[in-house]
């Protein structure tokens, strides 16, 4: 499993960058199509996200004066790289060969970098709208990160291991973790919606108030890369929740030829991420944007306390489990 | 954060209208604001003084794209009153139908835009989808979706044949059912309530003191409606009532506008069902006798007043237009103080500003001398129809 | 015709004008406003009061206090050759429009402002100042509101004698049209 | 709640919007589209050019024998309309005694030459 060619292929080709790139564009198209159909519209063709990406890559890059060009180019790339590497540890077929006992924490850490990127971009681009957008991105991060971590660490405590693949294997022996932790599942979904800055929580780039928030001054390939980062973190986020709560790409019974296991596992992975995406899209359609201070109240009053209650329940169940 | 000046300016995605607010904000709270209006002038009042009564109506319709019928009707009924003309009742009924259809499509448009301002795009798509039913009716009746040009001095340009009446009547129940759905959607949609309730609140005294008109004032309990106070067209005969509310905030204005939508559907149904037969216009004399009149009309955004003075010729001596949006600007400036920045688009959208109404007072000149043409500064942010570069006098 | 229907609709006594003196009628208004100038009923629901610029401020004051008028519909302006005519249309719950009419000499068109007691008048006065050149003393900021910033000073477009000068530049972008147009 | 039920109902029903270039919206009969003149009926009374709000109708000479109320008269002038400056208000159609000038149910169309005329 450890010969370099296979690892290289794993990283670059299949569940690595190429697949991630294609699947991110597909999920973005599906998201826009579902939202459109719910709003009684026809919706875009399947190649629309790819066309947007190519068009934006070809556009001219305008640097606002007095802005540090190098940094302005680097930040989107760093965000993209962080999110792409996070995907390597999420199991796509069976379990990921790169798994190691602490990769859940690494993935969670890598997923925060895009929000930092937004904050820095907002601060760097010397424009009043992006400054306010950047501050809002930072405030929103503090509100949803804590419950998000708690909600995603509860399965680790129950499964007893800190590696996502380990949790998936544990779930294969026992039932899916969502039955044990329904509140944790709901909190994780809401916080993922906030992390991806989708409608109820798209306060940083609220297009009717502060133009495009931190992304105001980004043009051409920088904007393309930031949009790609958001789409990829959508894939990584939904794959993570599918892995931790819905049992990941494993199937309870093992089939005779070993490669068939992998293929069926991959299909199960696809179905689960699409299910999570459907939930996220319907949240996006059904709600309007709330203000940053309202998010503050809701965030700390309800979501954080729900996550704490969930972790408490998990500890109790663990204690009972051990003693029985 | 120190005091920061934020330009919510003519090229701002929220306000697709050329108005510029310089907001002085402390953190997220607004401290003070400066209002800068009229980037798009077309000199309609000066131009109106050079046109006879047949040619002035299409010009006056272009004061505003959404309430074009209002401006033409208020002018036509003013001139008819000066000329002591007896307009046939069928024409009055047709004008009322078009007026109420225009109010419906204007309110549906507003509901969608208000939902879009808070990012709730689903309601925006749904309301504009149902607005198509109203637009199709208007297109069948008058031949155009926006500038209907139904009015003439002395009556209406074209008649309503039974086919058009039945087509319109067939759409009324669909609209009624849709509006019922919007009522309970606005009442129980969580984020909408969060963003609308308690935002930009205005008490009844403030509404009166700052001269708010139309749904903005009626949401604070001010009981003014020109259709009932000074009945014109066929409103005296049609059974309807004024919708008021006591909330005073954006939520109250939403409820008032949806209530008015329901009333308009009933008025249109009543007028379509018992439209009297008979002629649709009476021949008006070429010249109007010397006289003056303050003609008032309840436009979708509020009370619209035309002060018309005629001097015996076939041209009007002076038409002084005061549009509802101009009256509402003071109240919006007052409502905005110490709200937070995220609410600016919602509060400003709550008065349903129509900027092409507010600014129409300067002249452009093309003295048909080649070489020099004065181009209005309007081009700087003018995205509105009807603000073309120059205009023939 | 519409006017008769109008007066029948609320017949002056019908709607309770909620002032102290019970229902406000046209005769009460005429009698109360007699001191400001001659009053006449111009229309079924409109009373015209010809006054002098100096008295406008306290005329509106009495209208607001005694006759319960609480709303300014609009301020209309006319250019009658040698004088400017200003009409303040005020209305109250009694649904009767009271119009205060004043004439200003063309040479020196100034009048005291009413925006302190009627806040919406602030924007109307600024608009009239832009387009007619009438100066309202006491208006907090009589800056340009309707015309653009680089509109030449002392050019008031809505005056009857105003013609756009061929070579003056009215702001915006100067465009040299080709001969053909 | 009502928004959710409406969403699911929409998800299953056909979308309302159409793909414009392939499918077209039906134009009603009374639509005021491009202006057109039938030369046989025109008696050259130049009422349309007087009444036109945008003053885009000019009378050019076009002598012709024309039948009007069973009398045949010799017409000297006929109207010519600047197509892209016409605001399609329908007032000329309303005031024309013989119904010569009228608005068709066709969209006005686009073009680059500002001086295109319809005669």
């Amino acid at each position: 499993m450890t010969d370099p060619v296979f690892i290289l292929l794993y990283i670059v080709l299949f569940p690595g960058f190429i697949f991630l790139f294609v699947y991110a564009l597909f999920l973005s198209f599906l998201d826009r199509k579902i939202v459109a159909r719910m709003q009684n519209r026809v919706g875009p063709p399947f190649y629309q996200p790819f066309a947007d990406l190519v068009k934006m890559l070809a556009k001219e890059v305008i640097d606002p004066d007095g802005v540090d060009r190098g940094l302005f180019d680097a930040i989107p790339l760093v965000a993209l790289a962080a999110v792409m590497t996070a995907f390597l540890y999420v199991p796509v077929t069976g379990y990921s060969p790169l798994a190691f006992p602490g990769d859940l924490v690494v993935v969670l850490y890598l997923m925060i970098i895009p929000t930092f990127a937004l904050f820095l971009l907002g601060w760097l681009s010397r424009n009043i709208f992006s400054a306010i957008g950047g501050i809002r991105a930072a405030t929103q991060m503090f509100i949803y990160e804590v419950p998000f971590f708690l909600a995603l660490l509860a399965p680790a405590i129950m499964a007893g291991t800190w590696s996502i693949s380990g949790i998936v294997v544990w779930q294969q022996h026992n039932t899916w973790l969502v039955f044990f932790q329904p509140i944790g599942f709901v909190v994780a979904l809401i916080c993922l919606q906030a992390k991806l800055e989708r409608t109820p929580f798209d306060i940083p780039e609220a297009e009717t108030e502060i133009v495009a928030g931190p992304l105001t001054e980004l043009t051409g390939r920088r904007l393309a890369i930031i949009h790609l980062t958001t789409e990829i973190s959508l894939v990584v986020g939904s794959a993570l929740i599918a892995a931790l709560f819905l049992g990941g790409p494993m199937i309870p019974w093992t089939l005779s030829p070993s490669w068939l296991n992998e293929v069926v596992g991959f299909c199960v992975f696809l179905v689960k991420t699409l299910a999570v995406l459907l939930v996220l899209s319907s949240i996006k359609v059904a709600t309007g944007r709330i203000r940053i201070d309202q998010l503050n109240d809701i965030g700390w009053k309800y979501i954080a306390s729900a996550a704490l209650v969930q972790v408490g329940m998990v500890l109790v169940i663990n204690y009972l489990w051990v003693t029985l | 954060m120190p005091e920061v000046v934020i330009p919510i300016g003519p090229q701002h995605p929220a306000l697709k209208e050329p108005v510029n607010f310089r907001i002085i904000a402390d953190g997220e709270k607004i401290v003070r604001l400066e209002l800068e209006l009229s980037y798009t002038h077309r000199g309609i009042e000066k131009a109106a003084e050079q046109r006879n009564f047949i040619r002035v109506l299409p010009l006056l319709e272009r004061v505003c794209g959404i309430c074009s019928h209002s401006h033409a009707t208020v002018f036509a009924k003013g001139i008819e009153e000066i000329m002591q003309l007896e307009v046939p009742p069928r024409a009055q009924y047709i004008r009322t139908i078009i007026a109420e259809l225009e109010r419906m499509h204007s309110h549906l448009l507003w509901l969608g835009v208000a939902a879009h301002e808070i990012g709730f795009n689903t309601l925006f798509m749904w309301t504009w989808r149902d607005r198509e039913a109203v637009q199709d009716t208007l297109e069948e009746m008058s031949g155009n979706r926006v500038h209907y040009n139904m009015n003439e001095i002395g009556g209406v340009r074209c008649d309503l044949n039974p086919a058009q009446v039945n087509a319109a009547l067939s759409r009324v129940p669909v609209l009624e059912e849709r509006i019922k759905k919007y009522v309970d959607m606005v009442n129980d949609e969580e984020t909408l309530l969060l963003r609308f309730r308690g935002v930009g609140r205005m008490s009844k005294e403030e509404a009166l003191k700052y001269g708010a008109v139309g749904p903005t004032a009626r949401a604070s309990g001010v009981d003014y409606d020109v259709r009932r106070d000074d009945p014109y067209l066929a409103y005296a005969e049609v059974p309807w009532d004024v919708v008021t509310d006591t909330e005073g905030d954006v939520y109250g204005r939403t409820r008032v506008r949806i209530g008015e939508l329901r009333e308009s559907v009933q008025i249109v149904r009543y007028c379509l069902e018992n439209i009297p037969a008979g002629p649709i216009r009476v021949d008006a004399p070429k010249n109007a006798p010397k006289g003056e009149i303050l003609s008032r009309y309840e436009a979708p955004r509020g009370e619209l007043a035309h002060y018309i003075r005629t001097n015996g010729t076939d041209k009007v001596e002076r038409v002084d237009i005061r549009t509802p949006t101009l009256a509402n600007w003071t109240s919006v400036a007052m409502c905005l103080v110490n709200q937070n920045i995220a609410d600016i688009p919602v509060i400003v959208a709550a008065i349903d500003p129509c900027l092409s109404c507010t600014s129409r007072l300067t002249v452009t000149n093309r003295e048909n001398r080649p070489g020099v043409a004065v181009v209005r500064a309007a081009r700087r942010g003018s995205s509105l129809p009807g603000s073309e570069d120059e205009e023939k006098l | 015709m519409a006017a008769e229907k109008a007066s029948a609709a609320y017949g002056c006594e019908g709607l309770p004008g909620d002032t102290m003196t019970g229902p406000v009628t046209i005769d009460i208004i005429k009698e109360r406003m007699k001191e400001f100038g001659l009053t006449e009923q111009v229309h079924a629901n409109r009373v015209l009061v010809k006054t002098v610029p100096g008295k406008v401020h306290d005329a509106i004051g009495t209208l607001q206090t005694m006759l319960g008028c609480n709303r300014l519909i609009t301020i209309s302006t006319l250019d009658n050759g040698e004088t400017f005519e200003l009409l303040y249309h005020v209305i109250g719950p009694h649904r009767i429009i009271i119009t205060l009419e004043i004439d200003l000499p063309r040479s020196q068109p100034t009048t005291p402002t009413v925006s302190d007691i009627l806040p919406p008048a602030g924007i109307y006065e600024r608009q009239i100042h832009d387009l007619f050149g009438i100066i309202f003393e006491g208006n907090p900021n009589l800056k340009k509101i309707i015309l653009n910033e680089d509109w030449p000073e002392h050019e008031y477009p809505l005056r009857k004698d105003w013609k756009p000068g061929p070579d003056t530049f009215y702001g915006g972008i100067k465009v040299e049209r080709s001969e053909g147009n | 709640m009502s928004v959710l039920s409406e969403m699911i109902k929409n998800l299953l029903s056909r979308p309302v919007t159409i793909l414009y270039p392939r499918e077209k919206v039906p134009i009603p009969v009374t639509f005021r589209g491009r202006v057109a003149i039938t030369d046989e009926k025109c008696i050259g009374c130049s009422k349309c050019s007087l009444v036109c709000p945008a003053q885009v109708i000019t009378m050019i000479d076009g002598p012709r024998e024309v039948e009007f109320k069973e009398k045949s008269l010799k017409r000297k002038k006929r109207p010519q309309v600047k197509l892209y400056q016409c605001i399609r208000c329908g007032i000329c159609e309303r005031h024309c005694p013989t119904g010569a000038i009228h608005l068709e149910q066709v969209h006005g169309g686009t073009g680059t030459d500002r001086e295109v005329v319809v005669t």
Side-chain angles (χ1 to χ4, degrees), chain B residues 43-69:
Chain B
I44 285 190
E45 288 178 357
K46 184 89 176 180
E49 286 159 13
Q50 271 89 28
R51 291 170 176 236
N52 62 30
F53 289 128
I54 296 170
R55 288 183 52 221
V56 79
L57 279 173
L59 171 71
L60 283 176
E61 276 212 335
R62 273 146 180 88
V63 165
C64 164
I66 317 173
C67 44
S68 59
H69 183 74

Side-chain angles (χ1 to χ4, degrees), chain A residues 40 208-209 285 288-289 291, chain B residues 12 14 118 122 129 191 195 343:
Chain A
N40 233 334
T208 56
E209 288 141 26
V285 169
R289 181 185 317 120
R291 275 203 315 260
Chain B
H12 188 273
I118 60 161
T122 322
R129 167 199 61 191
T191 45
R195 287 299 300 274
D343 287 333

Side-chain angles (χ1 to χ4, degrees), chain A residues 30-44 285, chain D residues 10-11 15:
Chain A
L30 209 59
D31 172 37
R32 283 157 73 164
K33 191 77 173 180
I34 292 171
V35 166
R37 273 301 155 83
M38 283 189 182
Q39 294 174 350
N40 233 334
R41 294 183 283 119
V42 173
V285 169
Chain D
N10 286 343
L11 194 62

